[in-house]
Amino acid sequence: MAKESVIKRILVCDDVADNSFLLKTILQAEDCLIEIVDSGAAVLAYLETASNPPDLLILDVVMPKMDGFEVVRHVRESTKFQYIPILLVTSFDEDDADKAVDIKIDGFIKKPIDPDLVTAKVQEILARNSENFPINNNSI
């Protein structure tokens, strides 16, 4: 089977610009189109206004005002966006583990960020999601 040549769109949310830049650099090498926002509220606004939702949402857990867990809850409650795969980026402690039990996410990436792990995890999630939701070229 031929490999898809469709560029995957990823929305990255981190309140620390250096972390977003690192993720963007890693993922652009994988032929992904990266959009960056810096808050949970910006994620929700992006989803409501974007012409097409992203293929993957990568969220920092610890952010001011609205943390990554709260963003996930909002996304999962939306009938329009509930299927978007979500990957959380965190220093992952026991509090994070306890909160993660209550939400549906597709994986965690632990800080400090390991580029090889990010690449492998993103490829795995995108491949799995492509099998479940084949691309609809009629929407273009």
Side-chain angles (χ1 to χ4, degrees):
M1 182 175 195
K3 187 176 179 182
E4 283 186 21
S5 61
V6 176
I7 294 177
K8 298 295 186 174
R9 296 171 47 253
I10 300 175
L11 179 61
V12 173
C13 177
D14 197 309
D15 59 316
V16 177
D18 287 346
N19 292 340
S20 296
F21 180 77
L22 176 59
L23 286 167
K24 182 176 183 174
T25 302
I26 293 166
L27 296 169
Q28 280 180 326
E30 297 300 312
D31 291 329
C32 292
L33 177 64
I34 312 302
E35 295 287 336
I36 294 177
V37 294
D38 63 1
S39 71
V43 168
L44 301 179
Y46 178 95
L47 292 176
E48 288 299 329
T49 60
S51 57
N52 290 312
D55 297 300
L56 174 63
L57 175 56
I58 299 178
L59 282 173
D60 183 23
V61 170
V62 180
M63 296 184 290
K65 297 183 182 171
M66 184 185 302
D67 69 18
F69 294 117
E70 190 174 346
V71 175
V72 172
R73 283 188 192 92
H74 282 284
V75 171
R76 293 300 182 233
E77 289 170 0
S78 163
T79 55
K80 190 174 176 183
F81 305 115
Q82 66 186 358
Y83 65 88
I84 297 173
I86 300 174
L87 185 58
L88 291 180
V89 179
T90 183
S91 54
F92 200 83
D93 59 23
E94 278 115 39
D95 290 340
D96 291 341
D98 290 343
K99 288 180 183 178
V101 170
D102 298 334
I103 61 173
K104 183 186 180 308
I105 57 167
D106 297 272
F108 271 101
I109 296 173
K110 189 170 165 57
K111 290 180 181 177
I113 293 172
D114 175 340
D116 292 332
L117 180 62
V118 170
T119 300
K121 197 66 142 167
V122 167
Q123 287 175 344
E124 171 194 328
I125 291 169
L126 290 175
R128 183 174 61 227
N129 198 49
S130 292
E131 291 171 7
N132 294 332
F133 298 98
I135 300 199
N136 179 0
N137 291 324
N138 297 329
S139 64
I140 298 175

